[in-house]
Amino acid sequence: MDEISLKALAKINLGLDVLGKREDGYHDVRMIMQTIHLYDRVEIKKTRSPHIHVETNLYYLPVNEDNLVYRAAKLMKDEFQIKEGVRIVLQKFIPVAAGLAGGSSDAAAVLVGMNRIFNLGLKQNKLMELGLKIGADVPFCIMETCALVKGIGERITPFAMPCDFHILLVKPAMGVPTGKAFSMLDFEKCDHPDCNEVIHALQQGDLAQLSSVISNSLEYSAFQLVPEIADIKHQLQSIGFEAVLMSGSGSTVFAITRKKELLRQAEKRFHNKTYFVCCTAIKQ
Ligand code: ATP
C-alpha cells in the first residue's frame, strides 16, 4: 500500500476542569471528551524523495513544521529512520482554533496512516505515546472514543453512554488561541465541574441532569476574549437545548437535544451570520 485516505474526527468536551498548573508549564486537567462525526480528510502518499510535502485547502494554514501534520510525519520519519518522504493533502472541514482538536486529530491521522503505509506494525499504545510528543489531545484523537481524560491528556479511561441525541455546533468567526485562554485562567472565578457527576448523567442519558452538572473551567476566560461565545451560549439555551457548553478552549459552543425541531430553529437563528453552524452526532 503506497497511499491512504483517513478521516480525522473532531471532539467536544462534555466537561473540562483545570486543576492547576504544573512546573513544566502544562496544566493538569480532568475532561470528558467525546469524538464526533465532523472530520477533516487526510491523504498520505509515499514519495521517493525524502521530503515532507503538505498541501491544504485553507490558504492561511502553515504547510511547514508549524502544521501539526508536518510535525507528525517528521516524528515518524525520525523515530523509524524512514528514508522515503510523504505528500500529505489535508482538506480541512473542522474549523480552526475552535476547541474541536482539529489540528491534533489531523496529526493523529498521520501517525495512524504512516504506521500502515510503512508497515511499522506499531500498536495503538505506542502511537499514543508518540502522539503525546506532538500535543496533549493527540492520544485521545488516536483512540476516537468517549472517555474521562486526566493528566495533561494522556490518562484516558473510555466509558460507554447512550447516543440517541443530536449535537449542534455553533462557532463565531473569531477563534480562541488555546494558550491565551489558559494564561487568563482565574482559578477562583472559573467553574470546576465534577466529572463523575457528568459521567453519571451521561450514562443515565439524563439531559436535564447533564445540564445542571456540565461546565468548563476555560469558559470564563474565553468569554472575556470573545464575548460572542457567551451570547451564542445564551441564545442556544433560550431556544431550549437541554445542555449547552463551550468546547475546549473555544470558540465553538455545542448544544445537545433529543428534539429535532430545535436544530431547525437554531439553524434559522444563526443563518446569514458569519457563524460556522453544523449538526452532527457522537461517534459510537
Ligand atoms: P484544541 O481543541 O486541541 O485546543 P483547537 O481546535 O482549538 O484545538 P486547532 O484548530 O487544532 O485548535 O489549532 C489551532 C492552531 O494550530 C492554529 O494557530 C493553527 O495555525 C495551528 N495548526 C497547526 N496545524 C494545524 C492543523 N493541521 N489544523 C488546524 N490548525 C493547525
Side-chain angles (χ1 to χ4, degrees), residues 78-90:
D78 292 350
E79 284 275 329
F80 304 103
Q81 291 92 43
I82 299 170
K83 299 271 181 307
E84 296 133 296
V86 281
R87 177 171 179 266
I88 301 173
V89 179
L90 171 62

Side-chain angles (χ1 to χ4, degrees), residues 11 13 40 60-62 66-69 90 92 95-104 106 137 176 178 248-250:
K11 60 81 184 161
N13 296 88
D40 292 338
Y60 53 86
L61 273 190
D66 292 331
N67 195 307
L68 296 183
V69 298
L90 171 62
K92 293 286 303 179
V96 175
L100 300 173
S104 303
D106 297 341
D137 286 345
V176 175
T178 305
S249 54

Side-chain angles (χ1 to χ4, degrees), residues 96-100 171 174-178 181 216 218 222 229 246-253:
V96 175
L100 300 173
K171 180 195 169 289
M174 237 170 129
V176 175
T178 305
N216 177 342
L218 295 171
I229 302 172
M246 185 184 82
S247 183
S249 54
S251 58
T252 304
V253 178

Side-chain angles (χ1 to χ4, degrees), residues 139-190:
F140 173 84
C141 292
I142 290 171
M143 267 188 120
E144 293 185 339
T145 185
C146 172
L148 171 65
V149 179
K150 297 192 273 190
I152 62 164
E154 78 288 10
R155 287 158 54 202
I156 303 172
T157 313
F159 65 91
M161 66 169 192
C163 50
D164 57 335
F165 43 73
H166 311 284
I167 296 171
L168 181 81
L169 307 175
V170 182
K171 180 195 169 289
M174 237 170 129
V176 175
T178 305
K180 191 102 181 133
F182 272 99
S183 70
M184 284 177 61
L185 194 73
D186 182 333
F187 283 94
E188 302 296 309
K189 289 187 178 149
C190 72

Side-chain angles (χ1 to χ4, degrees), residues 76 111 115 122-131 142:
M76 292 298 260
L111 299 180
N115 183 37
L122 305 171
K123 297 254 162 59
Q124 192 181 60
N125 272 359
K126 178 65 187 172
L127 290 173
M128 288 165 67
E129 204 180 284
L130 290 166
I142 290 171

